[in-house]
Amino acid sequence: MSRYEVRLSGAGGQGMILAGIILAESTLDNDELNVVQTQSYGPESRGGASRAEVVFSKEAIDYPKVIQADLLVALTTEALDKYGDDIKKTAVVIADSDYIDLDYNPGDGVEYYSIPIINTAIEEIGLKLTANMVALGAASHFIPDLSEEEILKTIASRVPAGTEEKNKEAFKAGKKLVSEMKS
């Protein structure tokens, strides 16, 4: 991979910043991969569109922000509206099927997955706050050079004490959602 750019977006407070941090930290032991993570949550820290960006590269990373996303995850209509056009022509877009009420046409060449991210967290995991881990699991399916074992270890070290297993379950549920759609 020369450069792979990921944008995780949603409303402030949905945990997409934490998902981005976990994604980036899970690759720190990979000596062949450079990674940088940035985030935007300033005035929109509760409710408005927020995003976490992670850039992976086997080369030096000379610019730390996403230029055009290879992978976009959007949990809200506002996030998809704000970031949905800033993607590569061959990007993967994952949107929450129950919370995106927008007619979104990503264009030819883009893989588009509309999956129930938040409802999976609520109904399967029993904890809405794990929706960010469902989203992370779905996203991880498409990102090259990731270790699921490292992601799960990073989740356990970053989420609130007592929620580790629920968050790991949520991550696996997100991977399953995409795997079932691709088969």
Side-chain angles (χ1 to χ4, degrees), residues 163-180:
T163 68
E164 298 92 345
E165 291 309 312
K166 289 273 189 191
N167 278 284
K168 288 180 189 180
E169 284 177 46
F171 174 83
K172 291 175 185 175
K175 280 193 82 99
K176 183 179 173 192
L177 282 173
V178 172
S179 296
E180 288 173 350

Side-chain angles (χ1 to χ4, degrees), residues 5-169:
E5 302 179 347
V6 178
R7 180 174 288 135
L8 305 169
S9 62
Q14 287 184 308
M16 298 309 279
I17 303 294
L18 177 60
I21 291 167
I22 289 170
L23 181 58
E25 283 186 3
S26 72
T27 63
L28 292 179
D29 289 338
N30 184 338
D31 293 335
E32 296 179 15
L33 195 60
N34 296 306
V35 63
V36 64
Q37 188 272 327
T38 58
Q39 56 204 8
S40 169
Y41 58 88
E44 56 281 307
S45 65
R46 287 278 177 223
S50 66
R51 73 178 186 274
E53 296 181 340
V54 183
V55 176
F56 300 96
S57 180
K58 291 192 175 177
E59 311 290 321
I61 297 172
D62 58 356
Y63 183 70
K65 297 195 180 256
V66 167
I67 300 165
Q68 280 193 310
D70 293 282
L71 172 63
L72 169 67
V73 178
L75 296 187
T76 65
T77 299
E78 183 181 356
L80 187 58
D81 190 36
K82 190 170 185 176
Y83 305 119
D85 293 333
D86 193 15
I87 59 172
K88 290 185 179 157
K89 292 180 182 186
T90 56
V92 172
V93 175
I94 301 170
D96 192 309
S97 59
D98 296 311
Y99 292 86
I100 305 266
D101 59 5
L102 186 64
D103 260 346
Y104 176 66
N105 180 0
D108 294 336
V110 173
E111 287 184 63
Y112 181 62
Y113 297 88
S114 180
I115 59 175
I117 295 169
I118 295 171
N119 281 343
T120 297
I122 294 168
E123 293 169 13
E124 286 187 35
I125 310 305
L127 189 59
K128 185 178 181 179
L129 292 174
T130 63
N132 59 340
M133 294 301 112
V134 175
L136 181 58
S140 73
H141 185 85
F142 298 97
I143 304 169
D145 300 319
L146 290 184
S147 161
E148 182 173 335
E149 180 182 334
E150 288 300 317
I151 293 173
L152 290 171
K153 284 195 315 193
T154 308
I155 288 170
S157 72
R158 277 294 194 159
V159 298
T163 68
E164 298 92 345
E165 291 309 312
K166 289 273 189 191
N167 278 284
K168 288 180 189 180
E169 284 177 46

